[in-house]
Amino acid sequence: MSWKPCCCPGPAKRVLMWNANKQFVPVDDGGAQARDFFRFNMGLRTDDFTEFSGNIHDYQLVIWGAATSNPSWWASITNNSWHGRLVISAENLTEFPESVAYVNGLQGTTGIGILGDTLDDPRPPCFYSGPVLPDPLTQGFGVLLYHRTSQTVGGTSLALVRPISGIVPWIARNKPAGSNRDFVVAADIDWYVYRPTCDSWPFPENHEFLRNLVTVPI
């Protein structure tokens, strides 16, 4: 059974764009364009950290980028009491070493680590098209655009998206046995954060990934 914008009984679940507990990202708009896609294209209640209800169980999907420290709701993740999909993004090692180190340190919970490297410095082009591998989360598109990335290791899905310069993925997925949580770890934040110095974002392929993050069952 897939998630829908509205279901009965009870209130519809929400999306949380968690733009706190993160390393400073100069061009970060808090994922506003991704938030607008959820709100206006999918009809989903979507909050950022200033609108957070205070209860992580109100949310079915959490997207959190350039993560650097545990948020207030982290215990509900580690004790497996939250049911949902958590997407954590780090970044390339050159510019974001704090985020790479922190997200890599979560491997015991997420099952996915960060190699800690920097690939595909886009000058030019501004974005690269990373080829996707077969998975329910990558259905409907063949590439996902990114800016500059590290690489991931681990995940029961060996890879969701690869960089153009290698076969080691920059996005991976893992749902631990017996877990209520589906973890997706990305080694680049630019798949959902707008870069005003680059082409317009979001791209159709990245839209489809956002849609799948909501509609594909845990």
Side-chain angles (χ1 to χ4, degrees):
M1 178 177 176
S2 62
W3 287 317
K4 297 184 182 299
C6 200
C7 61
C8 298
K13 290 279 190 172
R14 310 178 193 176
V15 174
L16 179 61
M17 305 291 297
W18 188 257
N19 51 332
N21 300 97
K22 66 180 181 64
Q23 189 167 354
F24 176 66
V25 183
V27 297
D28 185 2
D29 64 357
Q33 296 204 10
R35 181 193 63 209
D36 288 348
F37 176 79
F38 288 130
R39 287 178 175 175
F40 302 122
N41 292 65
M42 300 190 69
L44 293 168
R45 169 70 183 268
T46 305
D47 300 338
D48 65 21
F49 84 100
T50 66
E51 303 160 319
F52 178 49
S53 69
N55 183 0
I56 195 63
H57 301 282
D58 290 336
Y59 300 91
Q60 65 185 28
L61 171 66
V62 178
I63 297 179
W64 171 28
T68 56
S69 61
N70 293 353
S72 57
W73 38 267
W74 189 244
S76 295
I77 306 300
T78 56
N79 68 16
N80 196 30
S81 65
W82 177 69
H83 185 103
R85 178 166 288 124
L86 175 59
V87 184
I88 305 174
S89 294
E91 254 292 351
N92 69 85
L93 181 64
T94 301
E95 297 177 301
F96 298 88
E98 294 173 29
S99 182
V100 169
Y102 174 75
V103 175
N104 194 42
L106 302 180
Q107 187 170 2
T109 298
T110 65
I112 305 168
I114 302 289
L115 286 177
D117 45 20
T118 299
L119 295 178
D120 304 333
D121 189 355
R123 290 194 291 263
C126 202
F127 282 96
Y128 289 111
S129 298
V132 306
L133 280 78
D135 186 89
L137 289 179
T138 59
Q139 61 189 348
F141 59 97
V143 297
L144 196 72
L145 279 77
Y146 66 102
H147 183 259
R148 182 194 290 177
T149 188
S150 296
Q151 298 178 90
T152 61
V153 289
T156 50
S157 282
L158 176 61
L160 292 184
V161 190
R162 291 174 175 164
I164 63 167
S165 59
I167 62 172
V168 179
W170 65 271
I171 300 183
R173 179 187 185 191
N174 184 46
K175 186 175 185 294
S179 175
N180 294 318
R181 309 143 303 167
D182 187 34
F183 294 110
V184 177
V185 173
D188 175 51
I189 196 176
D190 297 297
W191 65 271
Y192 79 93
V193 170
Y194 173 65
R195 260 184 196 272
T197 57
C198 296
D199 298 332
S200 297
W201 195 100
F203 306 97
E205 299 89 349
N206 296 53
H207 269 165
E208 289 306 306
F209 188 49
L210 292 171
R211 187 187 306 278
N212 290 345
L213 288 173
V214 172
T215 59
V216 172
I218 296 295

